[in-house]
């Protein structure tokens, strides 16, 4: 009898030891990230890891989350962000957390820290609320090797760039990025980029590109990106895939066909997209690129010369006419450091505020004056909803914010930094049926994880990192708008980052459990 009692006790201890989790998410509809249909089930988390999934009725946990009626999915991975310099200002990364994002890839559009080792250890020492991986950016590598010069590199300079890329890949970058509309990257010819992308390919990196053009010459730009990837034998990510400029509306059918064709021919190419009809970038991009060479003081000097101002104005007016617009009404200031009261106003409005004549020619002067005063970040309203949706239907397209960590209330930034994923899940999945919920989640989770080789993220699987989102598919919505950008998405209830509860019943807990994620070339 006594013996029997001990056996019972042994079993009881054993069962309780086996079936104990830190956090148990019960009764949710599990969407695992593969694209498969939802199933009912529970998820158990211990430390930073998912330890069990399924019917876990007999399990116990310190914290039990009732997910009845809610979706349980892997944390979203945002492959296209720019968080540099904002990590310290807001390590809670609220705008990402409140939109379901648990991992970001930064260093996009050719802009990154060149010293990736230092950057990733900074991320680990700072402790922010999301995981961070980085690309190494061509523009910064080029500037480090040869300044802002508008010319081809010498052999020595090219070798310097190659060794910087190699070092960055060994330090844990997940790939190489270009921003070919920005200085000084825009001065690079295709062969320079191929040479550098080949280095990233050696370390199994990805080539992510903000292409040379996203409007009139977009097909040449896509062709260049595809050729680079083919020549370097690398996996290609075309960033914020779009067709800009009113005159180009409808061309997404051609441009997406090029991507599909390249895949059919064996090139590993995927795309990402922010689900909005406006873009956001620097005011400088309105000016011809040759004016922007050699650094700020030279640019300012150039813009004092009447002849150059005239050429710049002519260039801008021609582009405006191509859009079939009378005014720079489509160009709205997000953040103008020299005078923040102008944030949220269009160039047309600012020109009138400055008591200038209501003509496009006067507006070009306003633009040039603003560039001379330090420039501005802008929102440009120039895409068609039909193109956005057509591109969105492509199954190997991932939603990505192209945003930084927002400082709540500062400036008039593009709403994509707050609402990208909620907008896809609310507007495009629930309301407009562009894709199924399961497919949207696949593109937010396992597709980016596969692309960037995050081997234990992007799926709900035993042994995987416990990055988990719990949300209400019936109410998830983006609230951020161009007029009132500083509004968090709704519908996200619970979020775990590496096993730590970071969103609890819709409220950020203050947890900062994200970490740096290293690429495959990483050498300790
Ligand atoms: Zn970009």
């Amino acid at each position: 009898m006594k013996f029997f009692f001990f056996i019972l006790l042994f079993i009881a201890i054993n069962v309780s030891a086996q079936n104990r989790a830190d956090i148990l998410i019960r009764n949710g509809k599990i969407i695992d990230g593969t694209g498969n249909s939802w199933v009912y089930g529970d998820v158990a988390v211990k430390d930073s890891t998912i330890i069990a999934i399924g019917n876990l009725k007999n399990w116990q946990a310190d914290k039990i989350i009732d997910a009845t009626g809610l979706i349980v999915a892997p944390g979203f991975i945002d492959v296209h962000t720019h968080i540099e310099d904002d990590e310290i200002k807001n390590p809670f990364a609220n705008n990402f957390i409140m939109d379901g994002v648990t991992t970001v890839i930064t260093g996009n559009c050719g802009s990154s820290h060149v010293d990736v080792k230092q950057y990733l250890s900074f991320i680990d020492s700072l402790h922010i609320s999301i995981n961070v991986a980085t690309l190494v950016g061509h523009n910064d590598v080029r500037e480090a090797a040869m300044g802002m010069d508008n010319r081809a590199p010498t052999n020595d300079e090219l070798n310097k760039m190659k060794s910087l890329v190699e070092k960055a890949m060994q330090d844990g970058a997940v790939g190489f990025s270009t921003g070919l509309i920005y200085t000084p990257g825009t001065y690079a010819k295709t062969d320079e980029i191929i040479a550098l992308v080949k280095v990233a390919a050696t370390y199994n990196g990805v080539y992510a590109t903000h292409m040379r053009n996203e409007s009139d010459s977009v097909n040449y730009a896509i062709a260049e990106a595809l050729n680079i990837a083919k020549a370097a034998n690398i996996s290609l990510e075309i960033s914020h895939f779009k067709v800009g400029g009113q005159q180009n509306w409808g061309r997404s059918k051609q441009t997406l066909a090029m991507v599909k064709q390249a895949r059919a021919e064996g090139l590993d190419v995927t795309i990402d997209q922010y689900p909005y009809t406006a873009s956001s970038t620097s005011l400088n991009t309105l000016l011809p690129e040759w004016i922007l060479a050699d650094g700020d003081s030279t640019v300012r000097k150039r813009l004092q010369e009447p002849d150059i101002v005239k050429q710049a104005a002519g260039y801008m007016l021609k582009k405006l006419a191509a859009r079939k617009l009378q005014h720079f009404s489509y160009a709205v200031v997000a953040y103008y450091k020299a005078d923040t009261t102008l944030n949220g106003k269009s160039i047309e409005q600012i020109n009138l505020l400055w008591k200038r004549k209501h003509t496009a020619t006067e507006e070009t002067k306003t633009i040039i004056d603003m560039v001379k005063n330090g420039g501005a970040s802008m929102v440009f309203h120039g895409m068609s909803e039909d193109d956005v949706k057509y591109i969105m239907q492509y199954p190997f397209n991932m939603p990505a914010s192209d945003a930084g960590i927002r400082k709540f209330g500062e400036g008039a930034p593009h709403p994509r930094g707050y609402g990208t994923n909620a907008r896809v899940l609310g507007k495009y999945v629930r309301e407009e049926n562009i894709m199924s919920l399961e497919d949207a989640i696949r593109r937010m989770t396992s597709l980016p994880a596969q692309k960037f080789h995050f081997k234990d993220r992007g799926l709900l699987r035993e042994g995987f990192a416990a990055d988990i989102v719990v949300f209400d598919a019936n109410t998830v919505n983006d609230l951020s708008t161009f007029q009132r950008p500083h509004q968090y998405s709704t519908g996200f209830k619970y979020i775990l980052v590496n096993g730590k509860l970071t969103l609890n019943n819709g409220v950020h807990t203050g947890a900062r459990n994200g970490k740096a994620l290293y690429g495959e070339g990483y050498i300790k």
Side-chain angles (χ1 to χ4, degrees), residues 241-458:
F241 200 83
K242 65 166 86 68
V243 191
Q246 282 74 0
Q247 70 277 20
N248 294 308
W249 288 7
R251 286 181 64 192
S252 58
K253 294 211 165 58
Q254 300 167 27
T255 59
L256 199 59
M258 293 176 76
V259 171
K260 292 178 185 170
Q261 176 70 22
R263 273 203 89 80
E265 289 168 4
L267 187 77
D268 172 6
V269 49
T270 51
I271 63 175
D272 55 74
Q273 178 191 33
Y274 49 82
Y276 297 86
T277 54
S279 59
S280 172
T281 189
S282 137
L283 181 65
N284 289 13
T285 58
L286 290 179
L287 296 178
E289 57 207 31
W290 60 267
I291 292 183
L292 301 168
D294 310 320
D296 288 348
S297 61
T298 316
V299 173
R300 261 195 300 277
K301 218 175 285 162
R302 259 185 214 129
L303 291 174
Q304 307 291 358
E305 290 176 37
D307 204 43
I308 290 183
V309 168
K310 209 170 147 195
Q311 285 184 60
Y315 176 90
M316 286 191 272
L317 289 171
K318 215 170 120 196
K319 292 226 152 177
L320 187 70
R323 285 179 185 263
K324 303 189 183 82
L325 294 177
Q326 309 293 320
H327 292 283
F328 287 88
S329 49
Y330 77 100
V332 178
V333 170
Y335 187 76
Y336 180 48
K337 200 175 173 198
D339 180 0
T340 54
T341 65
L342 300 181
N343 297 350
K345 297 196 164 55
S346 72
I347 295 295
E348 184 185 16
Q349 290 170 317
I350 293 169
N351 186 64
L352 290 172
L353 272 174
W354 286 2
K355 305 258 184 312
R356 289 176 170 171
K357 262 195 253 146
H358 191 201
T359 65
T361 307
E362 288 293 301
E363 289 164 10
T364 63
K365 289 181 192 161
T366 295
I367 291 167
I368 288 169
D369 285 344
M370 290 174 69
V371 169
K372 283 200 283 195
N373 287 331
S377 57
M378 302 291 293
V379 171
F380 295 117
H381 295 266
M383 288 174 255
S384 98
E385 182 69 21
D386 287 346
D387 283 320
V388 167
K389 283 190 207 167
Y390 184 76
I391 293 166
M392 195 178 290
Q393 285 164 355
Y394 184 57
F396 308 122
N397 171 10
M398 26 200 136
S401 69
D402 196 2
I405 296 171
R406 297 287 191 240
K407 283 139 283 165
F408 201 80
E410 190 177 306
H414 196 296
R416 65 196 182 195
Y418 284 97
T420 287
N421 291 296
R423 186 171 173 83
V424 169
L425 296 169
K427 177 178 163 66
Y428 291 107
V429 171
R430 187 180 61 237
E431 290 166 19
E432 302 194 21
N433 249 312
I434 300 290
M435 67 196 113
S436 71
L437 179 58
E438 286 85 348
D439 196 47
I441 288 175
R442 176 186 63 80
R443 298 175 193 205
M444 294 165 179
T445 58
S446 69
L447 181 61
Q450 176 184 281
K451 180 83 189 184
F452 287 91
H453 314 129
F454 300 141
K455 288 177 179 154
D456 63 345
R457 287 170 211 274

Side-chain angles (χ1 to χ4, degrees), residues 127-138:
H127 296 288
I128 71 174
S129 292
I130 50 178
N131 302 308
V132 178
T134 189
L135 298 151
V136 59
H138 171 233

Side-chain angles (χ1 to χ4, degrees), residues 80 109 210 240:
H80 194 98
C109 303
H210 178 152
H240 39 60

